[in-house]
Amino acid sequence: MVSRIIRENCGESVKVLGIYGSPRKGGNTELLLKELLRGCRDAGVEVEEVFLRDLKITPCLEIYACKKDGKCPIRDDMQLLYPKLVEVDALALASPVFFYAVSAHMKAFIDRCQALWARKYLLKQPISPGKPKRKGVFISVGGSKGSRIFEGPLLTMKYFFDSLDMIFYRSLLFREIDAPGEILEHPTAMAEAYALGKELAR
Ligand SMILES: Cc1cc2nc3c(=O)[nH]c(=O)nc-3n(C[C@H](O)[C@H](O)[C@H](O)COP(=O)(O)O)c2cc1C
């Protein structure tokens, strides 16, 4: 059974997919991504939202069937996401920092994109024919003020977006944001997210 996916059609050709990676409902990364997508909608683009915590996504099992045809044989909600990842013009991922990495929800999703990596690098197939300049953006927050907290997530995102044949266009990263909703007290974060959403529509 496929979990909640909200589709809002604003009638334009650009499509942005927002993927929420926090287990926490109404948390900081969720607030930021919602605001980014509000910017997209206001700019007239089609927006789709996926909450990973509502989906059943098994971690990669290293079956490697994807080496043959670029497809993952595991039958779960990830099958619903593959066609969307191929079709969208921009992808916005949001995850809190968990132990200097992305959340487990986000990591399971990313690892299952090994099938797309295989399509691109082993089978030499284009991921999204005719859409060479797709954009990927990453939103993250961490509770601490550590200078290196985003290093792991950023490296992961760099290679993830590359596998999807996307440019890693921009990241929005905020330190010392811990309690739920604390991001709302940040002087510029929500405005930055909204502005990036508008920019993605171009
Ligand atoms: C399991 C777990 C691991 C965490 N690891 C880190 C970390 O390594 N560095 C950090 O700065 N904050 C860490 N945090 C704090 C979260 O990044 C922070 O609370 C963030 O605001 C959560 O975002 P969310 O509301 O979108 O879920 C961790 C929190 C949890 C629950």
Side-chain angles (χ1 to χ4, degrees):
M1 166 77 181
V2 168
S3 305
R4 180 170 51 134
I5 293 208
I6 303 164
R7 192 175 188 92
E8 296 193 12
N9 193 337
C10 299
E12 287 295 324
S13 58
V14 176
K15 280 185 200 156
V16 179
L17 175 63
I19 298 189
Y20 297 83
S22 173
R24 182 152 76 176
K25 238 183 189 171
N28 296 304
T29 51
E30 182 173 324
L31 290 167
L32 283 165
L33 181 51
K34 278 208 168 121
E35 192 61 4
L36 181 145
L37 296 176
R38 193 171 71 83
C40 293
R41 285 191 196 97
D42 287 354
V45 309
E46 187 177 324
V47 166
E48 195 161 351
E49 297 177 273
V50 171
F51 293 81
L52 293 178
R53 64 172 174 263
D54 291 344
L55 301 182
K56 184 177 172 353
I57 297 179
T58 305
C60 173
L61 301 177
E62 288 196 277
I63 303 162
Y64 277 120
C66 62
K67 280 186 177 178
K68 280 183 272 148
D69 58 5
K71 291 183 182 155
C72 179
I74 304 171
R75 300 289 114 190
D76 62 8
D77 287 345
M78 193 64 199
Q79 296 302 336
L80 188 89
L81 300 188
Y82 290 124
K84 296 179 192 307
L85 294 171
V86 163
E87 143 200 310
V88 292
D89 299 288
L91 180 61
L93 299 188
S95 169
V97 177
F98 279 3
F99 283 91
Y100 286 75
V102 291
S103 70
H105 293 75
M106 183 60 77
K107 190 60 166 60
F109 159 76
I110 288 172
D111 288 353
R112 291 289 298 285
C113 289
Q114 177 73 358
L116 300 176
W117 180 92
R119 225 177 268 184
K120 178 174 174 178
Y121 284 107
L122 301 181
L123 304 171
K124 313 286 180 205
Q125 293 172 2
I127 299 293
S128 191
K131 291 187 177 181
K133 292 203 170 150
R134 306 197 301 153
K135 291 175 184 155
V137 302
F138 177 56
I139 291 173
S140 190
V141 307
S144 77
K145 60 179 173 196
S147 62
R148 306 186 65 183
I149 57 173
F150 298 114
E151 284 183 12
L154 283 174
L155 258 185
T156 301
M157 287 302 147
K158 177 174 183 239
Y159 291 101
F160 170 73
F161 285 128
D162 173 75
S163 298
L164 265 70
D165 254 350
M166 288 182 168
I167 297 158
F168 189 178
Y169 184 68
R170 188 90 65 77
S171 56
L172 289 180
L173 310 171
F174 301 98
R175 291 179 173 79
E176 295 185 81
I177 303 293
D178 212 6
E182 202 175 339
I183 196 66
L184 297 172
E185 290 157 34
H186 189 282
T188 61
M190 299 307 276
E192 286 180 56
Y194 181 80
L196 181 54
K198 281 207 139 175
E199 199 178 319
L200 274 187
R202 281 188 227 128

